[in-house]
Amino acid sequence: MGAWIETGDLLIEGVRIDPQLGGLEPGNAEAAGSRPSPVEDGAIWIAGGRIRAIGPRDAIASLAGRGAVRFDGQGALALPGLWDSHLHLGAWAMARSRVDLRGCRDLDEVASRLRARDATLAPGAWLVAVALERHRVDPGGAGLDGRLLDRLFPHRPVAVFTHDLHSVVVNRRAFELLAPGGPDAAWPQGAVVQKDPRTGEPTGVLQERAVGMVDSMIAPGLPELTQQIAQAQVELARLGITGVQTPDGPDEFAALSVLRQRGALRLRVRFLPPVSMLDTLKSARIRQGFGDEWLALGQVKAFADGSLGSLTAALFEPYAHSQWPSHRGQLLMDAGAVATLAAEAARAGFSLAIHAIGDRACRAVVDGLERARSEGAWLPTLAYRMEHVQLIRPEDMRRLAALGVVASMQPVHAPSDRPAVERHWVGRTSRAYAWRSLRRSGVVLAFGSDAPVETADPLDGLFAALTGQWRSDAPGSSGWHQDETLSLAEAVAAYTAGAAAAVGEQEVRGTLRPGMAGDVVLVSPDLREADPATPEGLQAWRRARVVATIVGGQVVYPPPA
């Protein structure tokens, strides 16, 4: 690959260092006022993969000595290495080679992109597309189904995944491969097969665990997946991402293990195994934390509900404007099931990361975890986490804080989901994407992207956390939920120290301090001076880019000239 500089000692000089952005403790922005003043011409010395010293350039350069390789930061702002706390690495890597439907304005544009790819495929090959935004191109939910795909592509199997990855639309050829026994064949528990209420025939829309069946059918072989992930980590380095926490399956873990064995992994990965792997891990006596500083096991990942885009997130009150009256989503785990799984995972040496989007699912998770802790089925030295937390009631925020559960959230969901939230969560939108309220309640935030559901670019995530908007939104347009937005220091902490806390590694990474991991990201221009509410500040955010990414003292971006 060759896209990095390997060094013994590295001296990063000519950088701006701000204690509020480099040494901020998760959940304690207020304490930043007592920290030392910013350094405008600073340096960071990394040796043995760890930060040895940080401060004014001349003082640090004299400590590093002549043997250190020097890297000119050119006045960029230095941040701790950015982590994506929830990125589907295998799916994101593979999605880059599939039809991307993001940004389509209507069904005609969807059909046009699919036809363009269809013309390039061999006979009988699968046509696979991702990132279908149904709320944008098909707001009524009745236009894009398997019957439309049958008319367009009767000659090959087709699978079109929605952007939330909780639904997939397939044509008849694909459906027959998935269910050779016919539409009445048995499906796994938790699989949703939508049927026409008039005819009882499948519409081609599959949801939740049925999506995994399609994934398995089109899964690439290990060599292809390994190659795609190897290429994907180069792009993540360009974005300033030094580590990811990825809920994936055994195929992805195998590919990551191959890269680690080859010494080709230059991205720190914490792998969150699915519940389906728990028995295997328990039998092998492999516990959470197994691995090394590059690849290690994190929490067991489980699902308490579905998603907003597929209207399967579990709510207390029914969805507005749904084609199913009184529809409240799909609760996949109640409190009893959560407590039982927590006990089973604890016996195997694992804590939990539970997907919960709707307020009814968040309540079930909090209830279940409280029960597990009261019954002693709890591992206090490990981090527990809740994924997404997109709609939660205030009383459950306080209970989440009391449990010490980290809220793993994705700021880019807010501007992306705004149309769907305002259409379907009428009367409760003020409780959606409640970053500041959660933080005030004492909950530690860990930020990520949910890519390929959304963009993996953390600069877009930071901007969304500050404004509730996209960087590309029109100047002067109103951001969403301004009372729930964060400061730059708070948002950066969620991508760094908070992300480290989500996997129990806050003592070794996430801040720029001596002894911490030598993971640094350089960003230009200086975002401290860029107020998104002003035209000049907005333009600075739009110009913002990562100048360099350093992981363990190795410059992994930019590639050598």
Side-chain angles (χ1 to χ4, degrees):
M1 293 173 51
W4 54 79
I5 303 170
E6 296 199 31
T7 72
D9 287 17
L10 179 70
L11 180 66
I12 308 167
E13 52 187 352
V15 294
R16 300 180 179 189
I17 303 167
D18 191 326
Q20 291 196 48
L21 301 181
L24 191 63
E25 299 292 344
N28 191 20
E30 292 74 18
S34 63
R35 296 183 182 277
S37 300
V39 177
E40 299 304 316
D41 185 21
I44 304 170
W45 174 31
I46 301 173
R50 301 284 168 187
I51 295 174
R52 293 287 300 275
I54 178 170
R57 182 203 289 235
D58 292 345
I60 303 305
S62 64
L63 290 173
R66 295 183 178 181
V69 173
R70 294 175 178 252
F71 185 91
D72 185 1
Q74 301 179 21
L77 177 65
L79 301 175
L82 301 175
W83 277 70
D84 192 309
S85 299
H86 190 110
L87 180 145
H88 302 271
L89 184 55
W92 185 74
M94 293 305 303
R96 301 180 333 134
S97 65
R98 291 168 176 170
V99 182
D100 188 352
L101 300 179
R102 201 181 315 274
C104 286
R105 291 160 294 186
D106 51 38
L107 290 178
D108 287 341
E109 189 169 356
V110 170
S112 176
R113 295 191 191 184
L114 291 174
R115 287 192 183 101
R117 179 60 60 87
D118 174 64
T120 69
L121 297 175
W126 278 79
L127 171 57
V128 181
V130 297
L132 173 69
E133 299 169 300
R134 294 197 74 175
H135 66 273
R136 189 186 308 276
V137 303
D138 187 25
L144 180 55
D145 59 17
R147 291 163 290 196
L148 174 62
L149 296 180
D150 285 336
R151 292 195 296 273
L152 293 172
F153 310 105
H155 54 286
R156 71 169 72 255
V158 182
V160 177
F161 291 85
T162 55
H163 90 290
D164 60 8
L165 298 179
H166 283 258
S167 294
V168 60
V169 185
V170 299
N171 66 352
R172 183 175 295 276
R173 295 285 295 257
F175 193 90
E176 290 171 348
L177 292 171
L178 288 163
D184 296 325
W187 291 78
Q189 184 178 5
V192 178
V193 181
Q194 284 191 14
K195 295 185 178 181
D196 189 315
R198 296 169 300 171
T199 66
E201 291 295 313
T203 64
V205 178
L206 308 177
Q207 293 179 311
E208 303 311 327
R209 289 181 180 149
V211 177
M213 297 175 64
V214 182
D215 273 328
S216 297
M217 184 156 287
I218 63 174
L222 181 59
E224 180 185 0
L225 181 59
T226 302
Q227 180 183 22
Q228 292 288 348
I229 291 177
Q231 294 172 353
Q233 70 174 347
V234 176
E235 174 63 11
L236 292 174
R238 186 186 69 81
L239 297 175
I241 295 174
T242 60
V244 299
Q245 296 158 24
T246 179
D248 272 319
D251 291 346
E252 287 79 9
F253 188 71
L256 289 164
S257 298
V258 169
L259 291 174
R260 183 68 189 113
Q261 290 166 359
R262 293 175 180 171
L265 196 60
R266 290 298 183 270
L267 173 76
R268 301 192 193 276
V269 180
R270 300 299 173 261
F271 180 84
L272 311 186
V275 171
S276 59
M277 291 180 65
L278 185 57
D279 285 344
T280 300
L281 294 168
K282 183 178 179 180
S283 297
R285 291 182 169 80
I286 294 175
R287 303 170 69 87
Q288 188 168 326
F290 175 81
D292 59 22
E293 63 177 335
W294 293 98
L295 175 61
L297 290 178
Q299 299 91 337
V300 167
K301 170 71 183 302
F303 287 85
D305 68 348
S307 72
L308 165 61
S310 297
L311 305 190
T312 52
L315 309 179
F316 281 113
E317 303 298 329
Y319 283 86
H321 303 104
S322 168
Q323 56 185 312
W324 305 287
S326 303
H327 178 63
R328 298 192 301 142
Q330 186 178 20
L331 188 65
L332 300 176
M333 297 179 72
D334 61 15
V338 171
T340 298
L341 178 61
E344 182 183 356
R347 286 192 294 270
F350 285 87
S351 59
L352 296 178
I354 306 183
H355 165 120
I357 289 179
D359 52 2
R360 187 159 58 108
C362 290
R363 171 70 57 82
V365 173
V366 174
D367 286 348
L369 292 180
E370 282 185 344
R371 185 184 305 179
R373 188 172 70 171
S374 69
E375 295 173 351
W378 191 263
L379 299 176
T381 60
L382 298 182
Y384 287 75
R385 50 196 282 174
M386 188 186 295
E387 308 300 307
H388 308 307
V389 201
Q390 289 173 221
L391 185 67
I392 184 171
R393 296 190 169 187
E395 59 270 29
D396 293 329
M397 297 182 193
R398 294 187 289 272
R399 296 168 68 203
L400 202 65
L403 285 166
V405 174
V406 175
S408 169
M409 304 179 74
Q410 301 75 42
V412 286
H413 278 319
S416 177
D417 290 351
R418 182 175 180 177
V421 168
E422 293 181 337
R423 176 177 175 82
H424 296 298
W425 287 358
V426 174
R428 57 209 132 168
T429 61
S430 62
R431 294 188 284 108
Y433 312 94
W435 310 310
R436 178 157 296 282
S437 293
L438 280 159
R439 201 171 186 283
R440 282 176 175 163
S441 297
V443 177
V444 172
L445 303 180
F447 280 169
S449 67
D450 206 13
V453 174
E454 306 291 355
T455 173
D457 192 339
L459 293 180
D460 283 332
L462 286 170
F463 190 82
L466 269 63
T467 67
Q469 295 177 284
W470 292 112
R471 286 194 284 173
S472 58
D473 282 345
S477 59
S478 60
W480 201 36
H481 290 338
Q482 291 299 295
D483 55 338
E484 291 293 350
T485 57
L486 302 175
S487 69
L488 179 61
E490 291 166 338
V492 168
Y495 276 103
T496 54
V503 286
E505 298 183 17
Q506 61 270 32
E507 299 301 321
V508 294
R509 68 187 84 258
T511 54
L512 296 178
R513 295 201 296 252
M516 302 295 275
D519 302 345
V520 183
V521 173
L522 306 183
V523 177
S524 181
D526 188 342
L527 296 178
R528 296 173 301 170
E529 303 167 356
D531 181 356
T534 67
E536 298 79 11
L538 178 60
Q539 288 304 315
W541 270 96
R542 289 177 173 176
R543 293 196 313 273
R545 64 185 181 88
V546 170
V547 175
T549 303
I550 295 97
V551 185
Q554 301 172 6
V555 180
V556 297
Y557 177 82

